[in-house]
Amino acid sequence: TLLYTIKFEEMADGPLRIRQALPHKIRELTRRTRKESELYSDSAEYEFEYSDQDCLENEIAELYAYSETPDIKNCQSTYDHFESSLDSTKKWNSLTDSEKKKILFELLEFFEQDDVVHHSLGIQCILYLLQGKYSDCNTLEECLQCSIQNSFLIYECGFLPILFKQIHLLAEEYKTENRQSDHIEDSFVIRMLLNVLYSMMCLIYSSNEPFHSEKKKSFFEELSSPIHGYANLGLFMLEMIFLFEKGLSILPIKKVTLIFWKYLLFTLGTMDDIAKKKAQIQEENGLTPWIEPKDTPSSQWHVLQPQFPDRIPPEPCEEDPNGAYAPPNEECEASRRLPWKPKARQADIELYLRTCRQKFLGYQLDDDCTTMVGLPDSIQEGVRILQNHLYTSHGDLAVKHQEKMCSTPRRNRKILYYHPPAEMLYRAMLPKMEGYIIALLKVLLASASTPLSKAKTSGSLNVLVDVLPEDPNPIEPQRLQKDLSRHKEIITKAVSASLLLLLKHFRLNHIYQFEFISQCMFYANGVTLVLKFLNQDMNMFVTAENSIPGLDFPSCIFYVPPPTIGHQVVESSDTLPDEAVPKITCWRNLFSTINMLRIIQKLTKWRTPRTMMLNVLKSPPILKKTLKISHWLVHLYVLKLFKLQAKYLGKNWRKANMKILSSIYQHVRHRLLDDWAYGNDIDTRQWEATTEEQRLKATLQTYHGMWYRDLLPESMILPEMPTHIDDEATTDNVQKYIDECEVELPKNFENNYKVWVEREVFEKQYDWDVLLERFNKSFNENTMSLQDPLPS
């Protein structure tokens, strides 16, 4: 085989040149094989199931830093002191609901006083009850069940408005005084308040009891209601993140980002809720729901391996007793197919018919995808296949609706949105959308930096303030280092999940809302940030053991913490239960990695300039390193990113990475008539890409100016353009638009404009009705050209 790789000119000089060329060719082939085999991991696939969140125990444990363990003990002692003043001597679990509520009302009286000390005592007692009053419990399960019951009792007593008021007053005080912090003790009160809020949200959401359904629904409706001048809890948390980015370091950023993530997840909906709502929208609009499996089982996904299989026919699924091979059954055939159905766009069908008609018939039929007269049978069959795989998303419907509204009189316009909770959040975020996105990305940048020594550099935020103790114990430096690393990992998990949920829900509500937040993230260097995060040893990141099970809540209550010897932390398995032993894979880190890949894939999909930016930022080597993570979902999104930019990477790259191209063919959805593996018309695409973002920006300005004009800041408001002139309209609107437009006239016109007016205006007779009709037609054509049809 090697002889075929030698040039024909080398063979003309005889056997000597062949012998000299063979070692070079062997080394080249060996080096290429070794280089390609290094891309993939030889280890077994990680045991990880991607979902919206981790189990309840882990989500509650990640709320508390290891430095907060003394505060947890103080909550118990504070409640014990309060309980000693009560008349009842019964244990909490033996009391009736009415007796428990009586005690809770006495606790709420602490907040009626102006003394901050009483507020602190009351919030510690309530937090201890939300922790399950673990002194009366014997097992973790009993403690969690008691926590859920107490959370509903506390909500029924009307504590939620009091909690919002306390958080708001404290945040306003910090904002007014511009209070700074260097250690965890400075933010004690607001940390306790946020702990209570987060615990109530997680515990109430986790209850699946039928008798709790109405209270659960009422609780999350209250979270979506206005709160002290803010539209909802989500906007309140975003404002706190924005203040932290502006320098208010006393705010506990980890707890704030966790609450914002849980708010999006619990009030807007999970990924399953998005899929159900999407199918419902398609059914309501007469579209065939695109039913696909939720995910691909790992057993059906062949993790990329460096081996090169021999060219042998596949083994038969069944064998006849006589020695003949029987045809494969349906189950065997299904295992050889991709789990998702190929798609085709309406634009693909139109382009295919336009090309075929021009080639075979020499004419075009605009806006006609049904006439097949004169076309060969093979072409007609191809069109039928494309129509069978035609996919029309609700985003396409939203684009058509917006185009229709641009040519509709103002009194007849109707706004379109599919997801009311997301619409409310979008309206609340729109005036400061860029600021909120930049704040989230800056927090993500500060938490995603791997070296601890670079936690606070010039231009970045210090996200470790709410975990650093005032007087660090010099005997336990490794425990503090693990706590700091764990703290940053949790922030990365919360922010990445929040950004992904914002993209998904705004995409569900309206395609232009998704495009606007995507453009904000792209302009804020969101793609660069994600690539910087991925440019590390990802296998080490997803297997990092920065958790100490004996110090996680509530294990730190039921089990003895690991002893310390010298400068090392000894994690003794004798003091831990079997289920507390750390696993090989860190769930939150692998979860964050998948979220990052999904975010960058959504930002660049169908956007040529952004896809080309991936090549400029040298993403292929970074994505190759990510393939070393042995999990099918990571491989899937990495291959999707390679598919997007394959045509821009050049022939040499494609030739040297045939294994990746083959994996794309095997595992990624195919779009019919998509030439992703070929560099066709690259020059034309680059020329079009120079104006694509500008056209998208103009489209978004038209969309926001039409529906959200009263919510936009003055810098974003454009003169409203008259999109339709009918019998009731007058020329005043046209004159107003002309007066607001700034037009630079040439000097020759300014010197001779009187002659032009006399000759072209006063001496000629015009039919003004015809002129207005021409203006209306011309304006509609220009407006429609600005609309950017967005493929799904």
Side-chain angles (χ1 to χ4, degrees):
T1 305
L2 294 175
L3 293 176
Y4 288 100
T5 62
I6 304 174
K7 296 181 180 179
F8 179 80
E9 291 80 6
E10 296 176 351
M11 300 179 64
D13 294 338
L16 180 60
R17 290 292 301 273
I18 297 178
R19 288 195 301 269
Q20 293 176 351
L22 277 175
H24 172 70
K25 298 300 180 181
I26 292 175
R27 286 195 302 269
E28 181 181 356
L29 182 61
T30 305
R31 183 171 60 252
R32 184 184 303 176
T33 305
R34 182 173 62 252
K35 182 178 179 181
E36 190 167 339
S37 64
E38 291 175 354
L39 300 179
Y40 314 106
S41 175
D42 297 331
S43 60
E45 187 172 1
Y46 293 134
E47 293 183 2
F48 172 82
E49 183 178 355
Y50 183 79
S51 59
D52 296 292
Q53 58 179 345
D54 205 350
C55 60
L56 178 62
E57 294 86 346
N58 293 340
E59 295 294 337
I60 294 294
E62 290 179 350
L63 174 65
Y64 303 98
Y66 297 151
S67 303
E68 295 182 271
T69 304
D71 297 336
I72 299 176
K73 302 287 187 179
N74 292 336
C75 292
Q76 179 183 359
S77 60
T78 302
Y79 184 84
D80 292 340
H81 179 73
F82 167 76
E83 192 177 30
S84 62
S85 63
L86 300 176
D87 298 334
S88 177
T89 58
K90 297 181 180 179
K91 287 187 175 183
W92 177 268
N93 292 336
S94 61
L95 297 175
T96 62
D97 287 349
S98 59
E99 293 174 337
K100 292 179 180 178
K101 288 183 179 180
K102 182 179 179 181
I103 296 176
L104 289 175
F105 282 123
E106 292 185 17
L107 284 175
L108 295 184
E109 293 179 359
F110 282 50
F111 298 93
E112 296 179 359
Q113 305 181 23
D114 296 334
D115 189 2
V116 180
V117 177
H118 284 82
H119 294 175
S120 177
L121 295 176
I123 200 66
Q124 289 183 70
C125 293
I126 291 178
L127 180 59
Y128 176 64
L129 294 176
L130 288 173
Q131 291 172 350
K133 202 176 186 298
Y134 44 80
S135 60
D136 297 343
C137 302
N138 298 321
T139 62
L140 294 176
E141 291 75 14
E142 183 182 356
C143 181
L144 288 175
Q145 189 63 31
C146 183
S147 299
I148 295 174
Q149 295 176 358
N150 293 342
S151 63
F152 280 97
L153 289 175
I154 294 173
Y155 172 65
E156 292 174 7
C157 292
F159 177 68
L160 194 59
I162 299 176
L163 180 61
F164 289 154
K165 181 180 178 181
Q166 294 296 321
I167 297 175
H168 177 259
L169 291 177
L170 208 55
E172 289 296 323
E173 179 183 349
Y174 293 159
K175 179 181 177 181
T176 303
E177 299 176 0
N178 194 19
R179 191 177 301 180
Q180 305 298 317
S181 173
D182 294 327
H183 48 80
I184 191 174
E185 282 77 8
D186 294 338
S187 58
F188 174 78
V189 179
I190 194 169
R191 281 192 294 106
M192 294 296 105
L193 292 170
L194 295 177
N195 287 342
V196 170
L197 178 57
Y198 180 85
S199 300
M200 290 183 66
M201 293 174 65
C202 292
L203 293 171
I204 291 178
Y205 182 81
S206 64
S207 176
N208 295 322
E209 299 294 339
F211 54 87
H212 284 159
S213 59
E214 292 297 328
K215 300 175 186 176
K216 183 177 177 180
K217 180 180 178 181
S218 175
F219 174 78
F220 288 106
E221 287 179 352
E222 194 166 350
L223 294 183
S224 302
S225 302
I227 300 174
H228 296 282
Y230 299 97
N232 46 53
L233 178 63
L235 188 68
F236 188 17
M237 294 297 106
L238 270 177
E239 190 65 26
M240 294 180 70
I241 296 174
F242 182 76
L243 292 175
F244 179 84
E245 185 264 336
K246 294 301 180 182
L248 199 61
S249 60
I250 195 173
L251 297 176
I253 189 61
K254 184 188 77 171
K255 302 180 189 298
V256 174
T257 53
L258 283 173
I259 293 175
F260 178 64
W261 170 41
K262 295 299 182 182
Y263 171 81
L264 297 177
L265 188 64
F266 297 159
T267 59
L268 299 187
T270 62
M271 295 297 178
D272 290 340
D273 297 333
I274 293 175
K276 294 177 182 178
K277 182 66 176 178
K278 186 177 179 181
Q280 179 184 352
I281 294 173
Q282 291 177 334
E283 185 176 357
E284 291 175 354
N285 289 273
L287 304 176
T288 303
W290 202 267
I291 301 176
E292 289 179 345
K294 177 183 176 181
D295 54 12
T296 303
S298 58
S299 59
Q300 296 183 5
W301 180 274
H302 304 285
V303 180
L304 303 180
Q305 297 295 337
Q307 293 87 357
F308 295 91
D310 298 331
R311 294 185 176 181
I312 57 176
E315 297 182 1
C317 297
E318 296 181 0
E319 186 173 356
D320 194 284
N322 300 327
Y325 291 99
N329 52 28
E330 295 181 358
E331 181 179 357
C332 180
E333 285 294 330
S335 64
R336 297 176 181 175
R337 295 195 299 264
L338 288 176
W340 29 72
K341 181 181 178 182
K343 292 181 179 180
R345 298 177 297 164
Q346 183 65 30
D348 296 335
I349 300 178
E350 295 175 356
L351 177 62
Y352 182 68
L353 278 175
R354 183 163 58 250
T355 304
C356 294
R357 285 169 178 164
Q358 185 65 34
K359 178 179 179 180
F360 293 100
L361 305 177
Y363 68 89
Q364 300 292 339
L365 293 176
D366 296 334
D367 299 329
D368 186 357
C369 296
T370 58
T371 303
M372 304 291 177
V373 178
L375 295 177
D377 294 340
S378 59
I379 301 299
Q380 297 183 22
E381 180 65 22
V383 174
R384 283 192 292 268
I385 293 175
L386 290 174
Q387 291 176 347
N388 291 336
H389 293 80
L390 178 63
Y391 175 71
T392 304
S393 67
H394 65 285
D396 298 329
L397 301 178
V399 171
K400 293 179 180 179
H401 177 269
Q402 180 65 19
E403 293 175 353
K404 182 180 179 181
M405 291 299 102
C406 287
S407 58
T408 302
R410 184 182 304 175
R411 65 179 184 276
N412 295 332
R413 295 177 186 170
K414 294 182 180 179
I415 189 172
L416 175 67
Y417 56 85
Y418 297 109
H419 194 15
E423 177 68 19
M424 294 175 58
L425 181 62
Y426 186 80
R427 286 178 172 271
M429 293 177 59
L430 184 59
K432 297 173 65 175
M433 179 70 77
E434 291 90 346
Y436 292 145
I437 296 301
I438 291 175
L440 286 170
L441 291 178
K442 281 190 175 182
V443 172
L444 183 60
L445 174 63
S447 63
S449 56
T450 49
L452 292 177
S453 59
K454 297 182 180 180
K456 186 175 182 180
T457 58
S458 59
S460 64
L461 304 176
N462 185 6
V463 297
L464 303 178
V465 173
D466 53 332
V467 73
L468 290 172
E470 185 175 4
D471 296 321
N473 190 347
I475 302 179
E476 302 176 350
Q478 290 189 1
R479 177 179 295 185
L480 178 59
Q481 183 177 359
K482 283 181 175 290
D483 198 6
L484 296 176
S485 300
R486 173 178 177 268
H487 181 80
K488 296 172 67 177
E489 291 172 359
I490 296 171
I491 295 177
T492 302
K493 164 190 170 182
V495 177
S496 62
S498 300
L499 292 174
L500 180 60
L501 285 174
L502 287 175
L503 290 171
K504 294 284 289 185
H505 284 288
F506 289 155
R507 173 68 174 81
L508 177 66
N509 188 45
H510 199 285
I511 184 64
Y512 286 151
Q513 295 180 3
F514 164 79
E515 290 295 338
F516 181 58
I517 189 175
S518 299
Q519 197 172 66
C520 292
M521 293 177 63
F522 179 73
Y523 286 162
N525 293 326
V527 174
T528 308
L529 171 58
V530 175
L531 292 177
K532 180 180 179 181
F533 168 79
L534 296 175
N535 191 19
Q536 59 177 311
D537 190 345
M538 296 306 299
N539 264 329
M540 183 180 295
F541 177 73
V542 300
T543 57
E545 298 181 7
N546 291 321
S547 295
I548 306 175
L551 297 182
D552 287 337
F553 179 85
S555 298
C556 60
I557 303 301
F558 289 90
Y559 302 99
V560 180
T564 59
I565 299 178
H567 287 244
Q568 295 182 355
V569 177
V570 180
E571 300 179 6
S572 175
S573 60
D574 297 336
T575 61
L576 304 177
D578 293 337
E579 61 271 13
V581 176
K583 298 181 180 179
I584 297 177
T585 305
C586 181
W587 193 94
R588 60 175 171 267
N589 288 353
L590 191 50
F591 176 76
S592 302
T593 302
I594 296 175
N595 288 341
M596 292 289 196
L597 292 171
R598 298 185 69 179
I599 288 172
I600 194 173
Q601 192 261 346
K602 289 186 176 298
L603 293 181
T604 56
K605 185 178 181 181
W606 299 115
R607 292 295 163 199
T608 302
R610 302 178 190 175
T611 304
M612 296 171 64
M613 184 61 65
L614 291 177
N615 191 18
V616 174
L617 297 174
K618 300 180 181 180
S619 65
I622 299 175
L623 296 176
K624 282 183 182 180
K625 292 192 299 184
T626 311
L627 283 175
K628 294 182 179 180
I629 302 177
S630 298
H631 192 269
W632 70 271
L633 203 54
V634 175
H635 288 191
L636 175 63
Y637 287 107
V638 170
L639 293 178
K640 284 187 175 183
L641 289 172
F642 273 124
K643 181 183 176 183
L644 288 177
Q645 53 182 327
K647 64 173 64 177
Y648 307 107
L649 295 177
K651 182 178 179 181
N652 293 333
W653 186 94
R654 292 194 295 269
K655 181 180 178 181
N657 295 273
M658 289 302 299
K659 186 68 175 180
I660 294 179
L661 300 183
S662 300
S663 301
I664 294 175
Y665 274 112
Q666 295 174 11
H667 302 302
V668 181
R669 182 202 304 277
H670 300 296
R671 285 192 174 267
L672 305 180
L673 300 181
D674 187 6
D675 58 343
W676 63 268
Y678 308 97
N680 296 334
D681 299 329
I682 296 299
D683 296 336
T684 305
R685 297 294 297 171
Q686 290 177 351
W687 178 263
E688 295 176 358
T690 57
T691 58
E692 184 174 342
E693 288 292 330
Q694 297 178 359
R695 290 190 289 112
L696 175 61
K697 186 176 182 179
T699 303
L700 296 177
Q701 288 178 341
T702 303
Y703 170 75
H704 288 113
M706 183 177 295
W707 306 114
Y708 306 101
R709 190 176 182 83
D710 55 334
L711 300 176
L712 295 174
E714 295 183 359
S715 58
M716 295 179 59
I717 296 179
L718 300 177
E720 187 173 4
M721 301 160 64
T723 59
H724 186 85
I725 299 179
D726 52 11
D727 295 338
E728 298 181 5
T730 62
T731 58
D732 294 339
N733 292 333
V734 181
Q735 184 65 37
K736 179 181 178 182
Y737 170 67
I738 294 175
D739 293 339
E740 292 178 351
C741 292
E742 296 182 1
V743 180
E744 295 184 2
L745 298 175
K747 294 183 179 180
N748 294 336
F749 182 83
E750 294 178 358
N751 297 331
N752 303 309
Y753 78 96
K754 293 182 179 180
V755 178
W756 179 85
V757 170
E758 185 69 23
R759 183 179 68 248
E760 300 292 335
V761 178
F762 297 132
E763 294 181 359
K764 293 186 178 180
Q765 299 294 328
Y766 291 95
D767 188 350
W768 294 104
D769 294 334
V770 175
L771 283 179
L772 290 177
E773 184 177 358
R774 289 181 181 177
F775 176 83
N776 183 28
K777 182 179 179 181
S778 172
F779 184 82
N780 288 337
E781 291 177 354
N782 295 334
T783 304
M784 296 299 289
S785 64
L786 288 176
Q787 302 300 319
D788 187 24
L790 300 172
S792 62

